[in-house]
């Protein structure tokens, strides 16, 4: 029974999961019969098994006392057994177990190769063997008596030269006694045999999975079964000297005895090392309870704990070091070195055990903490349910939606209320884990977020609205007048309705920013989205709810984000709508922008009509040509022309320069731009119709000014300025929050005291903002440089913004015969262009006249105009000057600079005819005169467009006299006086009048 107890103890010790000697999974099956017998637990020792210091000390004292007593009782029986060629050790059951064979009896040993972890002397260890011939020979040895083998650890790859098969193993091994041989059933063979039996019996129900797994395990040699487990007891070290046989391997060996330590009792260093090993083993017992069974078996074999050699082997066997470190201890013959090396491994094992215990403790604490929190939360939920303080998630979700919809329920249409009630009832019958539950929840989220019938209070004060518009924008009288008309109608009717206003003009004239000013003037919420390049109808009409990730269109999103049903919605770049395979967005806008239809706008996602009739739509576009006719028919168009130089100057001084200084951190008195520099900037750098490019140039100037000021002030000033501006930003944020609270207090009809408190907080926030802004000004003034920077025209301005891209539109101070100044409209505003006409030089007497060549990237319309002009000019010249044969004798060439710019339009006829007549009569056009207009074949001058832009372009180029068609007199009368000032305008209806003003000497 002692042998079985020992086998069971060692098998359990070597099977621990944190790195002890590997025992195959089937080794537990092999040793299971041994475990069935009774055993004495380590906890049977006095003091318990909790691993504390007191228990460890008592256990050591008990083991050492019993070891000495058993050694004395076993002395005589050991001597008798030695005379038979071996030594014997009495077991705890009173029997005799052969402990070793005499060295002279075993000069050759059968080799049991170890794949990992060498066997230490004095240690019992199970070993799995798959070689059938080796197993049979060991069983035959056991049948004759005691079986002894030599165990050798295999070398890792690359450690041997493979001259001799035994070279694959280390030279030093262990002489071991085979305690038992336990066969393991061959599961793979049984499975394949069952398969064959079923196949032969015609049974089709073959476990295919079991068959495949059995074949894979059999092919890989894994633990599908087969082989045997040897229970080996190590005795002493061996050194192999030669190979006697290969299969199974037998080697010639020398038996190595542990050298005796001279004067062991007087060797203080060795005794101290041994004591430290014993103390470290005691520490190991505290952190690793699995080491107790190994120690118990060692004590049962009557080993002396004071023997350094055996103590070193014991310590090594208790460590989970790698195979190489353990083999080094096995190779070490010097007892002192061996004990020292074992102590190092033992110390590492203690630290590893402490780390393992710490990890286990942390994991256990986390698990116990999470479990405790879970139990408490479940108890809390139960208590709240019993008290009616909490409902389940689905009930809480329904209550949330009902609360969100409650403020809008009175103003919501009946169909919306019905849909929401139906969806809430549907949600109550769905399981939260179903996909339909999430779809319904998202649908209700949108339905209950729309402000059904809730409109914000508008400001219908015309004077206040005018002040807001004038404070934000200079000029734009047409737009301002239209907004004031809208407010006036709402004031007289007592309510307002939505409108669709479309502002058309070149870039940079303030189309987008005027939308925000309109919202401020009306005190409405503002929402902007751009449709430039939009090709998906779903962006406007929404997706069907059947799609994954479906969302409503932009207008429903607008209502949710603003929280009111009457916002100002700016639809930007409406002239740049795209068209793709997802549909035509322009057609989708027809319903949205139709006042007769948007009262019941149907979004695909909501599938419930939404009233958009109170929304004020403001659209922006650069041109009207690309807007579809049906959509344009629903819009009220307001044209925004470009700014003249005086308007740009006023805008720059009033708005742009101030903003540029603030963005650059430049103080009001620290830098400035002279009037001459501003005029040069407008005339020579920023001739565009808008002011966006002018704003960029001003910011560029003040950035360079800021660089100079920063170098002069140093980093300390910038630090103070940064702190002061952060305070201003915080004060602005606080003021916005207080204003929102005041609006909510007024809207919810709270008590008068609450509203008064909110108003007082708003006033305090305004005072704090004013104080913060004053602090910024104070910092600027305190850190200001002595001499302010003034940017002047000329070289100074060139230093800041570079060379001017435009010098002048005028190519000629005085136009020669054949050259006429025309006026053109572009999307960037108006411009002047010259039309040059000359005769093509021809050699010889055979001259070909009457032909016309055109260049300058003219479009089809201008090419037709040139043909009409050539035909009419020839008839006009023949009628006015009968003897002039210039057109009959010469081929003409018309060119319109610059050649790289495409040109087209129906307003160049007058200019082309005048150029041809000027060339034929050799008379120059009157100085500083420009004209525009289309001429028919009969000489009638047709009206044109873009009168304001062309007038602005004429003023910019220094033109003093303009010829307009008679049909454009009404457009001229609508222009402001500052645009018409200094210009002489003649309105003509036939080309005879054009000739009179441009070429006639009268």
């Amino acid at each position: 029974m002692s042998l079985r107890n020992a086998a069971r103890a060692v098998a359990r010790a070597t099977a621990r999961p944190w790195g002890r000697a590997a025992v195959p999974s089937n080794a537990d099956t092999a040793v299971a019969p041994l475990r069935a017998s009774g055993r004495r637990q380590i906890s049977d020792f006095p003091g318990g098994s909790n691993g504390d210091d007191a228990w460890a000390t008592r256990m050591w004292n008990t083991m050492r006392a019993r070891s000495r007593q058993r050694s004395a009782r076993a002395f005589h029986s050991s001597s008798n057994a030695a005379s038979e060629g071996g030594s014997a050790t009495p077991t705890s059951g009173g029997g005799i177990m052969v402990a070793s064979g005499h060295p002279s009896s075993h000069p050759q040993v059968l080799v049991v190769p170890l794949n990992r972890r060498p066997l230490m002397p004095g240690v019992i260890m199970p070993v799995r063997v798959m070689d059938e011939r080796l197993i049979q020979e060991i069983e035959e040895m056991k049948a004759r008596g005691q079986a002894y083998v030599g165990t050798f650890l295999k070398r890792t790859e690359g450690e041997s030269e493979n001259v001799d098969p035994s070279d694959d193993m280390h030279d030093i091994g262990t002489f071991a006694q085979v305690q038992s041989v336990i066969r393991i059933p061959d599961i793979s063979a049984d499975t394949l045999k069952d398969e064959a039996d079923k196949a032969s019996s015609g049974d089709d129900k073959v476990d295919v999975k079991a068959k495949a797994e059995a074949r894979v395990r059999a092919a890989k040699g894994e633990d599908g079964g087969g082989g045997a487990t040897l229970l080996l007891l190590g005795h002493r070290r061996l050194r192999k000297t030669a190979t006697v046989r290969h299969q199974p391997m037998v080697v010639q060996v020398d038996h190595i005895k542990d050298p005796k330590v001279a004067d062991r009792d007087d060797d203080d260093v060795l005794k101290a090392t041994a004591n430290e090993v014993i103390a470290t083993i005691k520490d190991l017992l505290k952190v690793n309870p699995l080491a107790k069974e190994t120690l118990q078996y060692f004590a049962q074999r009557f080993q002396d704990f004071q023997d350094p050699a055996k103590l070193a082997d014991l310590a090594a066997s208790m460590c989970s070091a790698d195979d190489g470190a353990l083999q080094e201890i096995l190779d070490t013959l010097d007892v002192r070195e061996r004990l020292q090396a074992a102590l190092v491994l033992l110390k590492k094992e203690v630290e590893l055990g402490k780390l393992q215990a710490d990890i286990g403790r942390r994991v256990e604490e986390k698990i116990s903490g999470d479990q405790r929190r879970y139990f408490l939360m479940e108890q809390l939920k139960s208590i709240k349910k019993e008290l009616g303080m909490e409902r389940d998630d689905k009930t809480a979700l329904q209550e949330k939606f009902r609360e969100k919809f409650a403020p809008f329920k009175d103003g919501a249409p009946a169909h919306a209320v019905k849909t929401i009630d139906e969806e809430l009832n549907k949600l109550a019958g769905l399981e939260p884990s179903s996909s339909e539950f999430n779809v319904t929840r998202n649908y209700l989220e949108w339905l209950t977020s729309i402000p059904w019938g809730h409109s914000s209070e508008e400001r219908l004060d015309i004077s206040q609205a005018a002040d807001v518009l004038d404070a934000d924008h200079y000029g734009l009288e047409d737009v301002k007048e239209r907004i004031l008309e809208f407010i006036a109608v709402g004031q007289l009717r007592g309510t307002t309705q939505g409108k669709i206003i479309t502002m058309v003009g070149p870039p940079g004239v303030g189309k987008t920013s005027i939308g925000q000013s309109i919202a401020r003037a009306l005190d409405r919420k503002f929402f902007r989205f751009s449709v430039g390049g939009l090709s998906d109808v779903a962006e406007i009409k929404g997706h069907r709810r059947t799609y994954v990730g479906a969302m409503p269109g932009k207008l429903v999103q607008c209502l949710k984000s603003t929280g009111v049903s009457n916002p100002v919605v700016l639809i930007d770049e409406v002239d740049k709508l795209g068209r793709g395979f997802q549909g035509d967005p322009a057609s989708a806008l027809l319903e949205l922008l139709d006042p007769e239809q948007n009262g019941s706008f149907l979004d695909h996602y909501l599938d419930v009509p939404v009233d958009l009739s109170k929304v004020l739509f403001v659209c922006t576009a650069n041109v009207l040509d690309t807007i579809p006719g049906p959509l344009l028919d629903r819009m009220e168009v307001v044209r925004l022309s470009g700014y003249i130089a005086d308007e740009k100057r006023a805008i720059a001084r009033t708005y742009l320069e101030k903003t540029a200084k603030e963005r650059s951190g430049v103080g009001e008195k620290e830098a400035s731009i002279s009037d001459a520099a501003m005029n040069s900037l407008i005339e020579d750098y920023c001739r565009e119709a808008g002011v966006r490019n002018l704003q960029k140039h001003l910011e560029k100037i003040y950035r360079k000014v800021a660089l100079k000021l920063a170098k002069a002030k140093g980093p300390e000033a910038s630090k103070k300025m940064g702190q002061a501006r952060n305070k201003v930003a915080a004060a602005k944020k606080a003021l916005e929050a207080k204003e929102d609270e005041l609006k909510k207090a007024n809207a919810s009809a709270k008590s008068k005291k609450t509203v008064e408190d909110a108003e007082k907080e708003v006033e305090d926030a305004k005072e704090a903002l004013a104080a913060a802004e004053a602090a910024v000004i104070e910092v600027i003034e305190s850190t200001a440089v002595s001499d302010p920077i003034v940017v002047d025209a000329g070289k100074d301005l060139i230093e800041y913004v570079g060379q001017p891209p435009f010098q002048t539109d005028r190519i000629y101070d005085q136009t020669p015969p054949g050259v006429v100044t025309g006026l053109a409209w572009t999307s960037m505003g108006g411009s002047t262009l010259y039309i040059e006409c000359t005769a093509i030089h021809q050699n010889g007497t055979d001259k070909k006249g009457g032909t016309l060549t055109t260049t300058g990237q003219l479009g089809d319309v201008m090419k037709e105009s040139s043909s009409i002009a050539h035909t009419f000019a020839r008839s006009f010249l023949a009628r006015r000057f009968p003897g002039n044969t210039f057109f009959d004798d010469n081929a003409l060439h018309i060119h319109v600079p610059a050649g790289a710019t495409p040109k087209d339009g129906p307003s160049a006829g007058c200019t082309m005819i005048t150029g041809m007549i000027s060339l034929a009569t050799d008379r120059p056009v009157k100085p500083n005169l420009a004209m525009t207009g289309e001429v028919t074949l009969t000489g009638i001058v047709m009206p044109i467009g873009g009168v304001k832009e062309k007038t602005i372009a004429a003023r910019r180029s220094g033109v003093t006299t303009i010829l307009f068609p008679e049909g454009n007199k009404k457009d001229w009368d609508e222009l402001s006086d500052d645009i018409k000032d200094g210009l002489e305008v003649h309105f003509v209806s036939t080309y005879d009048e054009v000739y009179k003003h441009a070429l006639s000497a009268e």
Side-chain angles (χ1 to χ4, degrees), residues 75-98:
F75 177 75
H76 297 289
S77 57
S78 299
S79 301
N80 295 333
S83 63
E84 298 178 1
S87 61
T89 301
T91 67
S92 59
I96 299 295
M97 181 178 68
V98 178

Side-chain angles (χ1 to χ4, degrees), residues 274-381:
N275 291 335
E276 181 63 24
V277 169
I278 294 173
T280 308
I281 292 175
K282 292 171 62 177
D283 294 337
L284 181 61
L285 292 174
K286 301 175 186 176
V287 297
N288 185 8
L290 295 176
K292 298 175 184 177
E293 297 184 358
T294 302
L295 186 62
Q296 179 186 14
Y297 176 69
F298 184 82
Q300 289 176 349
R301 293 200 64 248
F302 314 117
Q303 300 289 356
D304 188 358
F305 286 102
Q306 297 302 321
D307 187 345
K310 296 177 180 177
L311 188 60
D313 293 337
L314 170 65
S317 66
M318 299 176 70
C319 298
S320 60
D322 55 48
D323 301 341
L326 295 177
Q327 182 64 37
E328 288 181 4
I329 292 180
L330 189 63
D331 293 342
T332 304
L333 301 181
D334 185 84
V335 176
R336 292 180 176 83
E337 295 179 3
R338 189 193 309 169
L339 193 62
Q340 187 67 32
L343 178 60
V344 172
L345 294 182
L346 207 56
K347 289 287 186 183
K348 292 181 180 179
E349 192 70 21
V350 172
E351 295 301 322
L352 180 63
K354 291 180 180 178
L355 180 60
Q356 178 184 353
D358 184 58
I359 293 173
R361 187 183 67 255
R362 290 202 302 267
V363 173
E364 186 176 351
E365 289 176 355
K366 184 178 184 302
I367 293 175
S368 60
D370 293 344
Q371 288 178 341
R372 184 171 181 273
R373 177 178 177 79
Y374 173 77
F375 291 141
L376 290 176
M377 290 300 296
E378 290 299 319
Q379 291 176 2
L380 182 61
K381 287 182 180 180

Side-chain angles (χ1 to χ4, degrees), residues 674-811:
S674 66
D675 292 338
M678 187 66 74
N679 292 335
S680 178
L681 200 62
I682 294 171
E683 297 290 342
D684 300 335
Y685 292 85
C686 308
R687 289 187 179 179
E688 294 82 5
V691 294
R692 184 175 290 126
N693 194 33
L694 178 60
Q695 180 183 7
K696 293 179 181 178
H697 279 76
L698 290 174
E699 291 177 351
K700 184 176 182 180
I701 290 173
Y702 281 107
R703 282 198 305 269
K704 293 184 179 295
V705 170
L707 177 61
K708 293 182 178 181
L709 293 176
K711 290 181 178 179
K713 293 180 179 181
E716 190 63 31
S718 64
K719 183 178 180 181
K720 292 180 180 179
M721 179 58 66
Q723 293 175 349
R725 291 192 182 277
N726 289 338
K727 291 181 180 179
V728 171
K732 287 182 178 179
K733 192 173 181 180
L735 177 59
E736 292 176 357
K738 297 301 180 183
E739 288 177 344
D740 290 340
E741 291 179 2
L742 177 60
K743 289 182 179 180
K744 292 179 180 178
N746 289 325
S748 60
K750 292 185 177 180
S751 64
K752 183 177 180 181
K753 182 178 180 181
T754 304
V755 175
E756 290 177 353
D757 292 341
E759 291 176 349
K760 185 177 183 304
E761 290 178 354
V762 170
E763 293 298 326
D764 294 341
K766 289 181 179 179
E767 293 177 1
L769 177 60
E773 292 175 345
V776 172
I777 297 174
E778 182 180 352
V779 172
I780 293 175
E781 293 177 352
S782 64
T783 59
V785 294
S786 57
D787 297 328
I789 298 175
V790 179
V791 181
D792 206 350
K795 293 183 179 180
D796 198 13
L797 185 61
I798 292 175
E799 179 186 351
Y800 284 94
V801 292
Q803 294 290 340
F806 307 107
Q807 293 297 332
T808 179
D809 279 348
R810 300 191 64 160
I811 302 177

Side-chain angles (χ1 to χ4, degrees), residues 136-154:
Q136 291 178 359
E137 191 159 342
I138 293 175
E139 288 179 337
E140 291 176 359
M141 293 171 59
K142 286 289 291 180
R144 294 194 301 266
Q146 293 296 332
Y148 295 95
V149 295
T151 61
F152 295 90
L153 180 67
K154 288 185 178 180

Side-chain angles (χ1 to χ4, degrees), residues 124 250 496 699 702 713 731 841 951 953 978:
I124 191 169
V250 177
T496 58
E699 291 177 351
Y702 281 107
K713 293 180 179 181
H841 178 70
T951 305
D978 56 346

